[in-house]
Amino acid sequence: MAAISTEQALQIPQQLRRQDSQDGADSAGAEQQGQRAPQDKRFLSDDPVSIRNQAREQPVKPVSVEQYKLQLGQDQAYIKETLRNKLAEYQLSPHTQLNVSKDAFGQLELKGPALQSKLDQIASDLNNSNAFRQAFDRVSQQQPTLNYVDNVVKLSKAYGVSNNLFNSLISDEKEYNGLNDIAHRYQAMKASAPVYGDASMSDPQRFEFSLNV
């Protein structure tokens, strides 16, 4: 069953208004000719009707987006606080912009408007911190997933749009719908993005965590 686009959803109210206007004109003409006006002639064309029914029949599966944001927010707060402490430790401005990512060998690296020697020292400290590396790994894996989930849920609530790809990520068993569980399935699905033909699943850029940006 095909999902509707935002453009199609927005066209439904316009078709209703056009049909109302036409019904009013038909009723007025019938009264002038002494004929009884139809009680209710308003209708939608087949496509919008089927679209609206499809949206009701197959909405997106429910997930706890706010809970996901709260969980991931704890790791994000820890990363930000650690980076701010490192800026203070190495006597850099607290407003220094930093971008943290992983290089081709899986090591954390920093970029920003500071001496490269200091950036390398901070990166070395972060690489030696298991707690920081684990928090960064969780955020780098789960943030793209959360962005995708949040966007799909918002579209569904606003326009009644269903999404079969999204539904395939969500288990019928709630205990298997933690953000980490969905992230693993999302990563696997992204690897098959050319098969599904969903451009939103493609994510060729590596993850970066930004501070003061």
PDB file of all heavy atoms in Angstrom, residues 112-146:
ATOM      1  N   GLY A 112      39.242  22.591  14.883  1.00  0.00           N
ATOM      2  CA  GLY A 112      38.754  23.842  15.429  1.00  0.00           C
ATOM      3  C   GLY A 112      39.811  24.926  15.331  1.00  0.00           C
ATOM      4  O   GLY A 112      40.974  24.650  14.995  1.00  0.00           O
ATOM      5  N   PRO A 113      39.437  26.177  15.627  1.00  0.00           N
ATOM      6  CA  PRO A 113      40.364  27.313  15.543  1.00  0.00           C
ATOM      7  C   PRO A 113      41.283  27.388  16.768  1.00  0.00           C
ATOM      8  O   PRO A 113      41.142  28.254  17.638  1.00  0.00           O
ATOM      9  CB  PRO A 113      39.409  28.515  15.475  1.00  0.00           C
ATOM     10  CG  PRO A 113      38.214  28.075  16.255  1.00  0.00           C
ATOM     11  CD  PRO A 113      38.064  26.608  15.988  1.00  0.00           C
ATOM     12  N   ALA A 114      42.226  26.451  16.831  1.00  0.00           N
ATOM     13  CA  ALA A 114      43.191  26.418  17.937  1.00  0.00           C
ATOM     14  C   ALA A 114      44.481  25.794  17.425  1.00  0.00           C
ATOM     15  O   ALA A 114      44.514  25.214  16.324  1.00  0.00           O
ATOM     16  CB  ALA A 114      42.629  25.622  19.114  1.00  0.00           C
ATOM     17  N   LEU A 115      45.544  25.916  18.211  1.00  0.00           N
ATOM     18  CA  LEU A 115      46.810  25.305  17.811  1.00  0.00           C
ATOM     19  C   LEU A 115      46.623  23.799  17.656  1.00  0.00           C
ATOM     20  O   LEU A 115      46.002  23.146  18.493  1.00  0.00           O
ATOM     21  CB  LEU A 115      47.882  25.580  18.865  1.00  0.00           C
ATOM     22  CG  LEU A 115      48.364  27.035  18.983  1.00  0.00           C
ATOM     23  CD1 LEU A 115      49.337  27.171  20.142  1.00  0.00           C
ATOM     24  CD2 LEU A 115      49.028  27.482  17.680  1.00  0.00           C
ATOM     25  N   GLN A 116      47.157  23.254  16.568  1.00  0.00           N
ATOM     26  CA  GLN A 116      46.989  21.824  16.311  1.00  0.00           C
ATOM     27  C   GLN A 116      47.576  20.990  17.435  1.00  0.00           C
ATOM     28  O   GLN A 116      47.059  19.921  17.767  1.00  0.00           O
ATOM     29  CB  GLN A 116      47.640  21.455  14.977  1.00  0.00           C
ATOM     30  CG  GLN A 116      47.338  20.043  14.511  1.00  0.00           C
ATOM     31  CD  GLN A 116      45.839  19.808  14.308  1.00  0.00           C
ATOM     32  OE1 GLN A 116      45.153  20.638  13.728  1.00  0.00           O
ATOM     33  NE2 GLN A 116      45.343  18.681  14.803  1.00  0.00           N
ATOM     34  N   SER A 117      48.651  21.482  18.066  1.00  0.00           N
ATOM     35  CA  SER A 117      49.272  20.732  19.163  1.00  0.00           C
ATOM     36  C   SER A 117      48.306  20.557  20.327  1.00  0.00           C
ATOM     37  O   SER A 117      48.247  19.487  20.945  1.00  0.00           O
ATOM     38  CB  SER A 117      50.545  21.441  19.634  1.00  0.00           C
ATOM     39  OG  SER A 117      50.250  22.765  20.065  1.00  0.00           O
ATOM     40  N   LYS A 118      47.539  21.601  20.622  1.00  0.00           N
ATOM     41  CA  LYS A 118      46.575  21.498  21.714  1.00  0.00           C
ATOM     42  C   LYS A 118      45.396  20.606  21.320  1.00  0.00           C
ATOM     43  O   LYS A 118      44.894  19.834  22.143  1.00  0.00           O
ATOM     44  CB  LYS A 118      46.092  22.884  22.122  1.00  0.00           C
ATOM     45  CG  LYS A 118      47.141  23.707  22.848  1.00  0.00           C
ATOM     46  CD  LYS A 118      46.533  24.919  23.525  1.00  0.00           C
ATOM     47  CE  LYS A 118      47.591  25.638  24.364  1.00  0.00           C
ATOM     48  NZ  LYS A 118      47.020  26.790  25.105  1.00  0.00           N
ATOM     49  N   LEU A 119      44.968  20.708  20.079  1.00  0.00           N
ATOM     50  CA  LEU A 119      43.892  19.852  19.609  1.00  0.00           C
ATOM     51  C   LEU A 119      44.309  18.378  19.674  1.00  0.00           C
ATOM     52  O   LEU A 119      43.515  17.512  20.055  1.00  0.00           O
ATOM     53  CB  LEU A 119      43.489  20.218  18.180  1.00  0.00           C
ATOM     54  CG  LEU A 119      42.834  21.588  17.977  1.00  0.00           C
ATOM     55  CD1 LEU A 119      42.570  21.828  16.488  1.00  0.00           C
ATOM     56  CD2 LEU A 119      41.541  21.700  18.770  1.00  0.00           C
ATOM     57  N   ASP A 120      45.549  18.100  19.323  1.00  0.00           N
ATOM     58  CA  ASP A 120      46.054  16.727  19.368  1.00  0.00           C
ATOM     59  C   ASP A 120      46.121  16.225  20.810  1.00  0.00           C
ATOM     60  O   ASP A 120      45.845  15.043  21.081  1.00  0.00           O
ATOM     61  CB  ASP A 120      47.436  16.638  18.722  1.00  0.00           C
ATOM     62  CG  ASP A 120      47.395  16.837  17.216  1.00  0.00           C
ATOM     63  OD1 ASP A 120      46.301  16.698  16.628  1.00  0.00           O
ATOM     64  OD2 ASP A 120      48.451  17.140  16.620  1.00  0.00           O
ATOM     65  N   GLN A 121      46.507  17.103  21.744  1.00  0.00           N
ATOM     66  CA  GLN A 121      46.573  16.714  23.150  1.00  0.00           C
ATOM     67  C   GLN A 121      45.173  16.367  23.687  1.00  0.00           C
ATOM     68  O   GLN A 121      44.995  15.374  24.399  1.00  0.00           O
ATOM     69  CB  GLN A 121      47.192  17.830  23.983  1.00  0.00           C
ATOM     70  CG  GLN A 121      48.698  17.980  23.792  1.00  0.00           C
ATOM     71  CD  GLN A 121      49.253  19.144  24.595  1.00  0.00           C
ATOM     72  OE1 GLN A 121      48.813  20.285  24.462  1.00  0.00           O
ATOM     73  NE2 GLN A 121      50.222  18.847  25.450  1.00  0.00           N
ATOM     74  N   ILE A 122      44.192  17.207  23.338  1.00  0.00           N
ATOM     75  CA  ILE A 122      42.826  16.937  23.781  1.00  0.00           C
ATOM     76  C   ILE A 122      42.319  15.642  23.171  1.00  0.00           C
ATOM     77  O   ILE A 122      41.695  14.813  23.851  1.00  0.00           O
ATOM     78  CB  ILE A 122      41.893  18.106  23.399  1.00  0.00           C
ATOM     79  CG1 ILE A 122      42.305  19.391  24.148  1.00  0.00           C
ATOM     80  CG2 ILE A 122      40.443  17.760  23.718  1.00  0.00           C
ATOM     81  CD1 ILE A 122      41.508  20.618  23.746  1.00  0.00           C
ATOM     82  N   ALA A 123      42.604  15.446  21.883  1.00  0.00           N
ATOM     83  CA  ALA A 123      42.165  14.221  21.205  1.00  0.00           C
ATOM     84  C   ALA A 123      42.787  12.997  21.865  1.00  0.00           C
ATOM     85  O   ALA A 123      42.117  11.962  22.033  1.00  0.00           O
ATOM     86  CB  ALA A 123      42.534  14.272  19.731  1.00  0.00           C
ATOM     87  N   SER A 124      44.049  13.084  22.269  1.00  0.00           N
ATOM     88  CA  SER A 124      44.713  11.975  22.948  1.00  0.00           C
ATOM     89  C   SER A 124      44.025  11.657  24.271  1.00  0.00           C
ATOM     90  O   SER A 124      43.800  10.484  24.604  1.00  0.00           O
ATOM     91  CB  SER A 124      46.192  12.319  23.178  1.00  0.00           C
ATOM     92  OG  SER A 124      46.850  11.274  23.879  1.00  0.00           O
ATOM     93  N   ASP A 125      43.676  12.700  25.023  1.00  0.00           N
ATOM     94  CA  ASP A 125      42.972  12.491  26.293  1.00  0.00           C
ATOM     95  C   ASP A 125      41.631  11.801  26.069  1.00  0.00           C
ATOM     96  O   ASP A 125      41.252  10.891  26.818  1.00  0.00           O
ATOM     97  CB  ASP A 125      42.745  13.842  26.989  1.00  0.00           C
ATOM     98  CG  ASP A 125      44.044  14.475  27.478  1.00  0.00           C
ATOM     99  OD1 ASP A 125      45.078  13.770  27.523  1.00  0.00           O
ATOM    100  OD2 ASP A 125      44.021  15.676  27.797  1.00  0.00           O
ATOM    101  N   LEU A 126      40.917  12.246  25.043  1.00  0.00           N
ATOM    102  CA  LEU A 126      39.588  11.679  24.771  1.00  0.00           C
ATOM    103  C   LEU A 126      39.694  10.224  24.321  1.00  0.00           C
ATOM    104  O   LEU A 126      38.859   9.391  24.697  1.00  0.00           O
ATOM    105  CB  LEU A 126      38.872  12.514  23.702  1.00  0.00           C
ATOM    106  CG  LEU A 126      38.597  13.978  24.059  1.00  0.00           C
ATOM    107  CD1 LEU A 126      37.905  14.686  22.900  1.00  0.00           C
ATOM    108  CD2 LEU A 126      37.759  14.082  25.328  1.00  0.00           C
ATOM    109  N   ASN A 127      40.719   9.913  23.532  1.00  0.00           N
ATOM    110  CA  ASN A 127      40.906   8.537  23.078  1.00  0.00           C
ATOM    111  C   ASN A 127      41.266   7.602  24.228  1.00  0.00           C
ATOM    112  O   ASN A 127      41.005   6.394  24.160  1.00  0.00           O
ATOM    113  CB  ASN A 127      41.983   8.469  21.994  1.00  0.00           C
ATOM    114  CG  ASN A 127      41.449   8.826  20.613  1.00  0.00           C
ATOM    115  OD1 ASN A 127      40.521   8.201  20.125  1.00  0.00           O
ATOM    116  ND2 ASN A 127      42.029   9.845  19.996  1.00  0.00           N
ATOM    117  N   ASN A 128      41.838   8.144  25.271  1.00  0.00           N
ATOM    118  CA  ASN A 128      42.208   7.342  26.435  1.00  0.00           C
ATOM    119  C   ASN A 128      41.079   7.241  27.459  1.00  0.00           C
ATOM    120  O   ASN A 128      41.261   6.605  28.500  1.00  0.00           O
ATOM    121  CB  ASN A 128      43.458   7.925  27.107  1.00  0.00           C
ATOM    122  CG  ASN A 128      44.711   7.710  26.270  1.00  0.00           C
ATOM    123  OD1 ASN A 128      44.851   6.679  25.609  1.00  0.00           O
ATOM    124  ND2 ASN A 128      45.621   8.678  26.290  1.00  0.00           N
ATOM    125  N   SER A 129      39.951   7.870  27.180  1.00  0.00           N
ATOM    126  CA  SER A 129      38.804   7.823  28.082  1.00  0.00           C
ATOM    127  C   SER A 129      37.758   6.865  27.519  1.00  0.00           C
ATOM    128  O   SER A 129      37.092   7.166  26.532  1.00  0.00           O
ATOM    129  CB  SER A 129      38.204   9.224  28.254  1.00  0.00           C
ATOM    130  OG  SER A 129      36.973   9.154  28.941  1.00  0.00           O
ATOM    131  N   ASN A 130      37.617   5.714  28.170  1.00  0.00           N
ATOM    132  CA  ASN A 130      36.623   4.741  27.704  1.00  0.00           C
ATOM    133  C   ASN A 130      35.208   5.304  27.796  1.00  0.00           C
ATOM    134  O   ASN A 130      34.364   5.051  26.921  1.00  0.00           O
ATOM    135  CB  ASN A 130      36.729   3.452  28.521  1.00  0.00           C
ATOM    136  CG  ASN A 130      37.964   2.633  28.175  1.00  0.00           C
ATOM    137  OD1 ASN A 130      38.464   2.697  27.050  1.00  0.00           O
ATOM    138  ND2 ASN A 130      38.462   1.876  29.140  1.00  0.00           N
ATOM    139  N   ALA A 131      34.936   6.053  28.856  1.00  0.00           N
ATOM    140  CA  ALA A 131      33.596   6.611  29.045  1.00  0.00           C
ATOM    141  C   ALA A 131      33.241   7.565  27.914  1.00  0.00           C
ATOM    142  O   ALA A 131      32.119   7.537  27.395  1.00  0.00           O
ATOM    143  CB  ALA A 131      33.510   7.329  30.390  1.00  0.00           C
ATOM    144  N   PHE A 132      34.218   8.412  27.524  1.00  0.00           N
ATOM    145  CA  PHE A 132      33.943   9.361  26.445  1.00  0.00           C
ATOM    146  C   PHE A 132      33.769   8.630  25.122  1.00  0.00           C
ATOM    147  O   PHE A 132      32.849   8.943  24.352  1.00  0.00           O
ATOM    148  CB  PHE A 132      35.075  10.385  26.333  1.00  0.00           C
ATOM    149  CG  PHE A 132      34.789  11.469  25.329  1.00  0.00           C
ATOM    150  CD1 PHE A 132      34.158  12.642  25.722  1.00  0.00           C
ATOM    151  CD2 PHE A 132      35.134  11.323  23.996  1.00  0.00           C
ATOM    152  CE1 PHE A 132      33.870  13.649  24.804  1.00  0.00           C
ATOM    153  CE2 PHE A 132      34.851  12.315  23.065  1.00  0.00           C
ATOM    154  CZ  PHE A 132      34.223  13.481  23.476  1.00  0.00           C
ATOM    155  N   ARG A 133      34.628   7.665  24.847  1.00  0.00           N
ATOM    156  CA  ARG A 133      34.537   6.939  23.575  1.00  0.00           C
ATOM    157  C   ARG A 133      33.209   6.199  23.464  1.00  0.00           C
ATOM    158  O   ARG A 133      32.578   6.181  22.404  1.00  0.00           O
ATOM    159  CB  ARG A 133      35.707   5.950  23.443  1.00  0.00           C
ATOM    160  CG  ARG A 133      37.049   6.613  23.197  1.00  0.00           C
ATOM    161  CD  ARG A 133      38.148   5.554  23.087  1.00  0.00           C
ATOM    162  NE  ARG A 133      37.903   4.690  21.950  1.00  0.00           N
ATOM    163  CZ  ARG A 133      38.359   4.922  20.713  1.00  0.00           C
ATOM    164  NH1 ARG A 133      39.072   6.013  20.461  1.00  0.00           N
ATOM    165  NH2 ARG A 133      38.111   4.077  19.730  1.00  0.00           N
ATOM    166  N   GLN A 134      32.760   5.596  24.549  1.00  0.00           N
ATOM    167  CA  GLN A 134      31.488   4.876  24.512  1.00  0.00           C
ATOM    168  C   GLN A 134      30.312   5.821  24.305  1.00  0.00           C
ATOM    169  O   GLN A 134      29.387   5.521  23.547  1.00  0.00           O
ATOM    170  CB  GLN A 134      31.317   4.085  25.815  1.00  0.00           C
ATOM    171  CG  GLN A 134      32.263   2.899  25.925  1.00  0.00           C
ATOM    172  CD  GLN A 134      32.204   2.236  27.298  1.00  0.00           C
ATOM    173  OE1 GLN A 134      31.387   2.593  28.151  1.00  0.00           O
ATOM    174  NE2 GLN A 134      33.087   1.260  27.524  1.00  0.00           N
ATOM    175  N   ALA A 135      30.359   6.978  24.984  1.00  0.00           N
ATOM    176  CA  ALA A 135      29.285   7.961  24.805  1.00  0.00           C
ATOM    177  C   ALA A 135      29.270   8.473  23.366  1.00  0.00           C
ATOM    178  O   ALA A 135      28.198   8.626  22.760  1.00  0.00           O
ATOM    179  CB  ALA A 135      29.463   9.118  25.785  1.00  0.00           C
ATOM    180  N   PHE A 136      30.453   8.736  22.812  1.00  0.00           N
ATOM    181  CA  PHE A 136      30.534   9.225  21.436  1.00  0.00           C
ATOM    182  C   PHE A 136      30.024   8.169  20.461  1.00  0.00           C
ATOM    183  O   PHE A 136      29.319   8.493  19.497  1.00  0.00           O
ATOM    184  CB  PHE A 136      31.966   9.614  21.080  1.00  0.00           C
ATOM    185  CG  PHE A 136      32.108  10.202  19.707  1.00  0.00           C
ATOM    186  CD1 PHE A 136      31.908  11.557  19.493  1.00  0.00           C
ATOM    187  CD2 PHE A 136      32.427   9.397  18.612  1.00  0.00           C
ATOM    188  CE1 PHE A 136      32.011  12.112  18.215  1.00  0.00           C
ATOM    189  CE2 PHE A 136      32.539   9.942  17.338  1.00  0.00           C
ATOM    190  CZ  PHE A 136      32.324  11.299  17.143  1.00  0.00           C
ATOM    191  N   ASP A 137      30.363   6.903  20.692  1.00  0.00           N
ATOM    192  CA  ASP A 137      29.898   5.827  19.811  1.00  0.00           C
ATOM    193  C   ASP A 137      28.377   5.730  19.819  1.00  0.00           C
ATOM    194  O   ASP A 137      27.755   5.534  18.768  1.00  0.00           O
ATOM    195  CB  ASP A 137      30.507   4.491  20.241  1.00  0.00           C
ATOM    196  CG  ASP A 137      31.983   4.378  19.871  1.00  0.00           C
ATOM    197  OD1 ASP A 137      32.445   5.188  19.043  1.00  0.00           O
ATOM    198  OD2 ASP A 137      32.661   3.493  20.434  1.00  0.00           O
ATOM    199  N   ARG A 138      27.792   5.849  21.007  1.00  0.00           N
ATOM    200  CA  ARG A 138      26.326   5.776  21.089  1.00  0.00           C
ATOM    201  C   ARG A 138      25.670   6.930  20.345  1.00  0.00           C
ATOM    202  O   ARG A 138      24.697   6.743  19.600  1.00  0.00           O
ATOM    203  CB  ARG A 138      25.879   5.767  22.561  1.00  0.00           C
ATOM    204  CG  ARG A 138      26.122   4.444  23.275  1.00  0.00           C
ATOM    205  CD  ARG A 138      25.414   4.414  24.615  1.00  0.00           C
ATOM    206  NE  ARG A 138      25.969   5.379  25.552  1.00  0.00           N
ATOM    207  CZ  ARG A 138      26.948   5.132  26.404  1.00  0.00           C
ATOM    208  NH1 ARG A 138      27.506   3.919  26.436  1.00  0.00           N
ATOM    209  NH2 ARG A 138      27.371   6.063  27.247  1.00  0.00           N
ATOM    210  N   VAL A 139      26.193   8.137  20.548  1.00  0.00           N
ATOM    211  CA  VAL A 139      25.601   9.302  19.891  1.00  0.00           C
ATOM    212  C   VAL A 139      25.796   9.231  18.377  1.00  0.00           C
ATOM    213  O   VAL A 139      24.875   9.533  17.602  1.00  0.00           O
ATOM    214  CB  VAL A 139      26.197  10.610  20.448  1.00  0.00           C
ATOM    215  CG1 VAL A 139      25.720  11.815  19.642  1.00  0.00           C
ATOM    216  CG2 VAL A 139      25.801  10.788  21.913  1.00  0.00           C
ATOM    217  N   SER A 140      26.979   8.837  17.933  1.00  0.00           N
ATOM    218  CA  SER A 140      27.249   8.790  16.490  1.00  0.00           C
ATOM    219  C   SER A 140      26.374   7.762  15.793  1.00  0.00           C
ATOM    220  O   SER A 140      26.004   7.938  14.632  1.00  0.00           O
ATOM    221  CB  SER A 140      28.734   8.473  16.237  1.00  0.00           C
ATOM    222  OG  SER A 140      29.063   7.188  16.730  1.00  0.00           O
ATOM    223  N   GLN A 141      26.017   6.696  16.478  1.00  0.00           N
ATOM    224  CA  GLN A 141      25.158   5.674  15.879  1.00  0.00           C
ATOM    225  C   GLN A 141      23.685   6.032  15.992  1.00  0.00           C
ATOM    226  O   GLN A 141      22.902   5.828  15.062  1.00  0.00           O
ATOM    227  CB  GLN A 141      25.395   4.321  16.546  1.00  0.00           C
ATOM    228  CG  GLN A 141      24.533   3.200  15.955  1.00  0.00           C
ATOM    229  CD  GLN A 141      24.665   1.895  16.708  1.00  0.00           C
ATOM    230  OE1 GLN A 141      24.622   1.863  17.939  1.00  0.00           O
ATOM    231  NE2 GLN A 141      24.848   0.807  15.977  1.00  0.00           N
ATOM    232  N   GLN A 142      23.298   6.571  17.151  1.00  0.00           N
ATOM    233  CA  GLN A 142      21.880   6.750  17.430  1.00  0.00           C
ATOM    234  C   GLN A 142      21.318   8.098  16.988  1.00  0.00           C
ATOM    235  O   GLN A 142      20.115   8.207  16.745  1.00  0.00           O
ATOM    236  CB  GLN A 142      21.627   6.554  18.932  1.00  0.00           C
ATOM    237  CG  GLN A 142      21.953   5.152  19.395  1.00  0.00           C
ATOM    238  CD  GLN A 142      21.782   4.967  20.896  1.00  0.00           C
ATOM    239  OE1 GLN A 142      21.217   5.804  21.589  1.00  0.00           O
ATOM    240  NE2 GLN A 142      22.289   3.868  21.421  1.00  0.00           N
ATOM    241  N   GLN A 143      22.146   9.145  16.880  1.00  0.00           N
ATOM    242  CA  GLN A 143      21.618  10.451  16.491  1.00  0.00           C
ATOM    243  C   GLN A 143      21.010  10.450  15.091  1.00  0.00           C
ATOM    244  O   GLN A 143      19.897  10.962  14.897  1.00  0.00           O
ATOM    245  CB  GLN A 143      22.714  11.520  16.582  1.00  0.00           C
ATOM    246  CG  GLN A 143      22.212  12.945  16.310  1.00  0.00           C
ATOM    247  CD  GLN A 143      21.199  13.392  17.350  1.00  0.00           C
ATOM    248  OE1 GLN A 143      21.527  13.498  18.521  1.00  0.00           O
ATOM    249  NE2 GLN A 143      19.978  13.676  16.940  1.00  0.00           N
ATOM    250  N   PRO A 144      21.684   9.887  14.074  1.00  0.00           N
ATOM    251  CA  PRO A 144      21.042   9.827  12.744  1.00  0.00           C
ATOM    252  C   PRO A 144      19.736   9.039  12.763  1.00  0.00           C
ATOM    253  O   PRO A 144      18.780   9.398  12.073  1.00  0.00           O
ATOM    254  CB  PRO A 144      22.105   9.137  11.873  1.00  0.00           C
ATOM    255  CG  PRO A 144      23.402   9.410  12.569  1.00  0.00           C
ATOM    256  CD  PRO A 144      23.073   9.367  14.022  1.00  0.00           C
ATOM    257  N   THR A 145      19.709   7.964  13.569  1.00  0.00           N
ATOM    258  CA  THR A 145      18.478   7.179  13.682  1.00  0.00           C
ATOM    259  C   THR A 145      17.363   8.000  14.300  1.00  0.00           C
ATOM    260  O   THR A 145      16.223   8.001  13.821  1.00  0.00           O
ATOM    261  CB  THR A 145      18.717   5.921  14.538  1.00  0.00           C
ATOM    262  OG1 THR A 145      19.760   5.145  13.950  1.00  0.00           O
ATOM    263  CG2 THR A 145      17.454   5.081  14.636  1.00  0.00           C
ATOM    264  N   LEU A 146      17.685   8.720  15.385  1.00  0.00           N
ATOM    265  CA  LEU A 146      16.680   9.546  16.054  1.00  0.00           C
ATOM    266  C   LEU A 146      16.174  10.638  15.124  1.00  0.00           C
ATOM    267  O   LEU A 146      14.971  10.943  15.117  1.00  0.00           O
ATOM    268  CB  LEU A 146      17.264  10.155  17.325  1.00  0.00           C
ATOM    269  CG  LEU A 146      16.331  11.051  18.140  1.00  0.00           C
ATOM    270  CD1 LEU A 146      15.043  10.322  18.507  1.00  0.00           C
ATOM    271  CD2 LEU A 146      17.040  11.546  19.403  1.00  0.00           C
TER     272      LEU A 146
END
